[in-house]
Amino acid sequence: MTHEKLQQQIKQLAAEKNALLIAHNYERDEIQEIADITGDSLALSIEAQNTDKQVIVFCGVHFMAESAAILAPEKTVLLPRADAGCPMADMVTATGLQELKRQHPDAAVVTYVNSSAAVKAESDICCTSSNAVSVARSVTAKKLLLVPDRNLGRYIASKVPEKECICWEGFCPTHDQLTVAEIEQAKADHPDALFMVHPECQPEVLALADHICSTSGMYEFASNNPAKKFIVGTENGILWRLRKENPDKEFIMPSKVLVCPDMKLTRLEDILRCLEKMEPRITVADDIRVKAKQALDKMLAVPRD
Ligand code: 13P
Ligand code: SF4
């Protein structure tokens, strides 16, 4: 079946089932084209909580759908591909975090939303790449455990020098691969381009950036900045909307490594099947959900950067 035919069938079935189709900024183009909402992790969590619709089809990876299920337990949250995970989220477990907390009983745990519900339940507050610095500043403790991304952790630490920060040694296998040499080459090829980058990249790469931000922050920066060329330091799914919203601007990918295999798992066929069968459904056990929700709610109460 063609993309167009599948897209039509999905839209029709989503309307019949009163389902909201949401897609992360890294999803395939043909999925972003039909989504009711596209966005970053924070924006999508808020939409999932606020929507009147009873069914949420979350085109993204497992932790994102789990966040929606934590915030809106009365809704049916569907993840079209149950095997779409996040290797970074899998790099920390609740028992591992409990052990670190025992070693640092005076520290507050700030956990990136790229984490399981069980890890969130062990945390004081969550953050996303778009509010991480504000969240860290909002915490009164002088010592922070930043979990699980060491690169985001080091970035936060550089912005809150008044706090002692201990970073978990997790990383994103996609963003962590981007190298200084690739950025230097892209800058040499395009000396008039600005470099915007996601904080999941290594500190040496962030040091070369004109702007460090979440995926949604990149849309804002590209639209509001008068520059005509941008080097993009994040997953290549972001190009669809960047190009759509800025047809007169050029966006350059500095590396072939910037593809997240998990984000690319979901296809239109998976979304159609998921709506037909109303599965796979993502739920979180109440004992974990309530504690994880406290960490997410605290994050949502912090004003944005
Ligand atoms: P955002 O917080 O920008 O949506 O990024 C999520 C993510 O998985 C980045 O790799
Ligand atoms: Fe996880 Fe990296 Fe993929 Fe984001 S890009 S979902 S952090 S593996």
Side-chain angles (χ1 to χ4, degrees):
M1 215 187 294
T2 63
H3 277 178
E4 264 177 30
K5 192 89 192 132
L6 281 162
Q7 285 173 324
Q8 275 170 13
Q9 290 192 6
I10 290 167
K11 289 300 271 181
Q12 194 179 332
L13 201 52
E16 277 168 31
K17 304 232 170 172
N18 193 25
L20 185 76
L21 197 62
I22 58 185
H24 189 267
N25 296 324
Y26 297 161
E27 290 290 305
R28 291 173 181 273
D29 293 0
E30 62 272 21
I31 293 174
Q32 295 195 49
E33 275 169 19
I34 53 161
D36 296 308
I37 299 156
T38 61
D40 66 11
S41 316
L42 177 62
L44 296 181
S45 302
I46 294 169
E47 290 294 344
Q49 191 175 30
N50 292 347
T51 179
D52 297 337
K53 306 246 174 164
Q54 268 314 300
V55 178
I56 297 160
V57 180
F58 211 122
C59 302
V61 296
H62 189 270
F63 77 81
M64 296 179 180
E66 216 179 34
S67 293
I70 291 166
L71 290 170
E74 72 289 357
K75 291 176 185 155
T76 301
V77 179
L78 303 171
L79 178 68
R81 286 290 297 245
D83 53 345
C86 169
M88 180 209 284
D90 295 340
M91 290 178 190
V92 57
T93 60
T95 42
L97 180 54
Q98 280 164 358
E99 178 53 33
L100 188 67
K101 282 164 67 176
R102 268 194 288 278
Q103 291 166 24
H104 304 279
D106 52 335
V109 181
V110 179
T111 296
Y112 193 25
V113 287
N114 294 41
S115 54
S116 68
V119 166
K120 289 185 178 77
E122 289 293 330
S123 309
D124 294 289
I125 188 164
C126 288
C127 71
T128 75
S129 53
S130 58
N131 63 13
V133 176
S134 308
V135 165
R137 287 199 182 117
S138 78
V139 174
T140 49
K142 289 273 168 281
K143 192 172 179 183
L144 305 179
L145 305 182
L146 302 173
V147 180
D149 185 11
R150 65 182 178 209
N151 291 335
L152 180 67
R154 285 176 208 157
Y155 171 65
I156 296 170
S158 73
K159 297 285 181 187
V160 289
E162 68 280 13
K163 297 196 190 273
E164 182 188 349
C165 294
I166 294 158
C167 301
W168 192 270
E169 281 296 316
F171 59 91
C172 164
T174 299
H175 287 86
D176 198 64
Q177 282 188 71
L178 185 62
T179 64
V180 166
E182 286 169 322
I183 300 308
E184 283 173 346
Q185 185 62 55
K187 283 181 174 234
D189 293 343
H190 306 277
D192 50 342
L194 295 181
F195 175 41
M196 51 186 186
V197 67
H198 197 282
E200 287 175 14
C201 293
Q202 296 195 31
E204 301 75 22
V205 171
L206 299 189
L208 301 175
D210 295 292
H211 192 51
I212 301 170
C213 57
S214 73
T215 49
S216 291
M218 290 190 191
Y219 299 127
E220 268 173 52
F221 184 65
S223 295
N224 297 339
N225 196 292
K228 291 284 179 204
K229 269 186 172 185
F230 298 84
I231 299 164
V232 181
T234 195
E235 213 272 353
N236 74 0
I238 197 164
L239 291 175
W240 176 76
R241 199 168 128 197
L242 280 174
R243 288 177 174 152
K244 189 167 151 240
E245 291 177 352
N246 304 278
D248 58 328
K249 299 191 179 185
E250 192 183 338
F251 297 96
I252 298 130
M253 291 308 287
S255 169
K256 288 192 171 31
V257 301
L258 290 170
V259 180
C260 172
D262 284 86
M263 284 286 183
K264 298 298 187 252
L265 272 180
T266 309
R267 293 177 177 273
L268 291 169
E269 288 84 348
D270 300 309
I271 302 173
L272 187 59
R273 197 178 321 115
C274 158
L275 273 164
E276 281 165 356
K277 299 192 166 174
M278 295 296 276
E279 61 179 32
R281 184 174 176 184
I282 304 300
T283 55
V284 180
D286 259 357
D287 53 337
I288 290 180
R289 190 187 65 75
V290 170
K291 287 194 212 145
K293 186 169 185 299
Q294 284 168 4
L296 280 170
D297 283 343
K298 272 198 209 153
M299 169 188 87
L300 293 171
V302 175
R304 291 190 73 169
D305 287 341

